[in-house]
Short mmCIF file of all heavy atoms in Angstrom, two decimals:
data_model
loop_
_atom_site.label_atom_id
_atom_site.label_comp_id
_atom_site.label_asym_id
_atom_site.label_seq_id
_atom_site.Cartn_x
_atom_site.Cartn_y
_atom_site.Cartn_z
N GLY A 1 20.07 12.84 18.36
CA GLY A 1 20.72 12.43 19.56
C GLY A 1 21.32 11.03 19.48
O GLY A 1 20.98 10.20 18.52
N GLU A 2 22.14 10.71 20.43
CA GLU A 2 22.94 9.45 20.37
C GLU A 2 21.93 8.21 20.34
O GLU A 2 21.03 8.17 21.23
CB GLU A 2 23.87 9.32 21.51
CG GLU A 2 24.81 8.13 21.49
CD GLU A 2 25.83 8.09 22.63
OE1 GLU A 2 25.86 9.14 23.30
OE2 GLU A 2 26.52 7.17 22.75
N GLY A 3 22.16 7.30 19.41
CA GLY A 3 21.41 6.08 19.38
C GLY A 3 20.03 6.17 18.69
O GLY A 3 19.37 5.19 18.62
N LYS A 4 19.73 7.37 18.24
CA LYS A 4 18.43 7.59 17.60
C LYS A 4 18.63 7.82 16.09
O LYS A 4 19.52 8.55 15.70
CB LYS A 4 17.69 8.78 18.15
CG LYS A 4 17.38 8.64 19.62
CD LYS A 4 16.59 9.89 20.12
CE LYS A 4 16.26 9.76 21.62
NZ LYS A 4 15.52 10.96 22.10
N ARG A 5 17.73 7.21 15.27
CA ARG A 5 17.83 7.31 13.85
C ARG A 5 16.41 7.40 13.24
O ARG A 5 15.49 6.94 13.86
CB ARG A 5 18.63 6.20 13.21
CG ARG A 5 20.06 6.04 13.80
CD ARG A 5 20.70 4.76 13.14
NE ARG A 5 21.11 5.03 11.75
CZ ARG A 5 22.17 5.67 11.41
NH1 ARG A 5 23.03 6.16 12.35
NH2 ARG A 5 22.59 5.88 10.15
N THR A 6 16.32 7.97 12.13
CA THR A 6 15.01 7.99 11.45
C THR A 6 15.17 7.84 9.95
O THR A 6 16.23 8.26 9.33
CB THR A 6 14.30 9.33 11.74
OG1 THR A 6 12.98 9.28 11.11
CG2 THR A 6 15.00 10.55 11.13
N ASP A 7 14.21 7.24 9.28
CA ASP A 7 14.18 7.20 7.85
C ASP A 7 13.47 8.43 7.35
O ASP A 7 12.85 9.21 8.10
CB ASP A 7 13.33 5.96 7.38
CG ASP A 7 14.09 4.61 7.66
OD1 ASP A 7 15.25 4.59 7.27
OD2 ASP A 7 13.49 3.71 8.23
N TYR A 8 13.70 8.69 5.99
CA TYR A 8 12.99 9.82 5.42
C TYR A 8 11.46 9.69 5.51
O TYR A 8 10.88 8.59 5.27
CB TYR A 8 13.42 9.89 3.93
CG TYR A 8 12.55 10.90 3.15
CD1 TYR A 8 12.73 12.32 3.29
CD2 TYR A 8 11.61 10.46 2.24
CE1 TYR A 8 12.01 13.19 2.52
CE2 TYR A 8 10.88 11.34 1.47
CZ TYR A 8 11.09 12.72 1.62
OH TYR A 8 10.33 13.59 0.91
N VAL A 9 10.75 10.86 5.85
CA VAL A 9 9.34 10.81 5.93
C VAL A 9 8.83 11.82 4.97
O VAL A 9 9.11 13.03 5.05
CB VAL A 9 8.88 11.19 7.35
CG1 VAL A 9 7.39 11.27 7.44
CG2 VAL A 9 9.42 10.24 8.41
N PRO A 10 8.08 11.41 3.95
CA PRO A 10 7.51 12.35 2.96
C PRO A 10 6.43 13.25 3.59
O PRO A 10 5.78 12.82 4.59
CB PRO A 10 6.97 11.48 1.84
CG PRO A 10 6.62 10.20 2.57
CD PRO A 10 7.67 10.03 3.63
N GLY A 11 6.26 14.44 3.08
CA GLY A 11 5.23 15.34 3.59
C GLY A 11 5.74 16.05 4.85
O GLY A 11 6.89 15.89 5.26
N ALA A 12 4.84 16.86 5.45
CA ALA A 12 5.24 17.63 6.60
C ALA A 12 5.45 16.78 7.85
O ALA A 12 4.73 15.79 8.05
CB ALA A 12 4.19 18.67 6.82
N VAL A 13 6.42 17.20 8.66
CA VAL A 13 6.66 16.53 9.89
C VAL A 13 6.86 17.63 10.99
O VAL A 13 7.05 18.75 10.74
CB VAL A 13 7.96 15.70 9.86
CG1 VAL A 13 7.88 14.58 8.86
CG2 VAL A 13 9.24 16.55 9.60
N VAL A 14 6.62 17.16 12.30
CA VAL A 14 6.77 18.04 13.40
C VAL A 14 8.00 17.53 14.16
O VAL A 14 8.14 16.38 14.42
CB VAL A 14 5.56 18.00 14.35
CG1 VAL A 14 5.77 18.80 15.59
CG2 VAL A 14 4.30 18.36 13.57
N VAL A 15 8.88 18.52 14.40
CA VAL A 15 10.11 18.21 15.17
C VAL A 15 10.00 18.85 16.52
O VAL A 15 9.70 20.05 16.60
CB VAL A 15 11.34 18.65 14.43
CG1 VAL A 15 12.58 18.59 15.27
CG2 VAL A 15 11.51 17.88 13.14
N VAL A 16 10.30 18.15 17.59
CA VAL A 16 10.35 18.68 18.94
C VAL A 16 11.75 18.44 19.56
O VAL A 16 12.21 17.31 19.57
CB VAL A 16 9.27 18.09 19.86
CG1 VAL A 16 9.33 18.64 21.23
CG2 VAL A 16 7.86 18.32 19.25
N GLY A 17 12.41 19.51 19.98
CA GLY A 17 13.73 19.37 20.53
C GLY A 17 14.22 20.69 21.10
O GLY A 17 13.43 21.66 21.24
N THR A 18 15.55 20.78 21.35
CA THR A 18 16.08 21.97 22.01
C THR A 18 16.73 22.84 20.93
O THR A 18 17.65 22.41 20.21
CB THR A 18 17.12 21.56 23.07
OG1 THR A 18 16.52 20.71 24.02
CG2 THR A 18 17.69 22.80 23.77
N LEU A 19 16.32 24.05 20.87
CA LEU A 19 16.83 25.01 19.89
C LEU A 19 18.23 25.51 20.27
O LEU A 19 18.43 25.86 21.46
CB LEU A 19 15.93 26.27 19.77
CG LEU A 19 16.40 27.35 18.82
CD1 LEU A 19 16.38 26.82 17.35
CD2 LEU A 19 15.50 28.64 18.97
N ALA A 20 19.12 25.56 19.36
CA ALA A 20 20.47 26.11 19.55
C ALA A 20 20.78 27.10 18.42
O ALA A 20 20.62 26.73 17.24
CB ALA A 20 21.53 24.99 19.58
N LEU A 21 21.15 28.30 18.74
CA LEU A 21 21.38 29.34 17.78
C LEU A 21 22.87 29.51 17.53
O LEU A 21 23.70 29.43 18.46
CB LEU A 21 20.84 30.72 18.31
CG LEU A 21 19.31 30.78 18.55
CD1 LEU A 21 18.92 32.17 19.05
CD2 LEU A 21 18.57 30.45 17.30
N ASN A 22 23.25 29.69 16.28
CA ASN A 22 24.66 29.91 15.90
C ASN A 22 24.91 31.42 15.75
O ASN A 22 24.38 31.98 14.81
CB ASN A 22 24.93 29.07 14.66
CG ASN A 22 26.29 29.48 14.03
OD1 ASN A 22 27.18 29.93 14.74
ND2 ASN A 22 26.42 29.26 12.77
N ARG A 23 25.68 31.99 16.59
CA ARG A 23 25.95 33.39 16.50
C ARG A 23 27.33 33.73 15.95
O ARG A 23 27.65 34.91 15.64
CB ARG A 23 25.85 34.05 17.94
CG ARG A 23 24.47 33.88 18.54
CD ARG A 23 24.43 34.43 19.99
NE ARG A 23 23.14 34.36 20.57
CZ ARG A 23 22.68 33.24 21.17
NH1 ARG A 23 23.41 32.16 21.27
NH2 ARG A 23 21.47 33.25 21.68
N THR A 24 28.23 32.73 15.82
CA THR A 24 29.60 33.07 15.59
C THR A 24 30.28 32.38 14.42
O THR A 24 31.31 32.85 13.97
CB THR A 24 30.44 32.67 16.86
OG1 THR A 24 30.32 31.25 17.15
CG2 THR A 24 30.00 33.47 18.10
#
């Protein structure tokens, strides 16, 4: 999202956000 950034994180991570499916 706008204004948010992250560095690489080694190992497993948990992501929480809104799912969007690509159908087309």
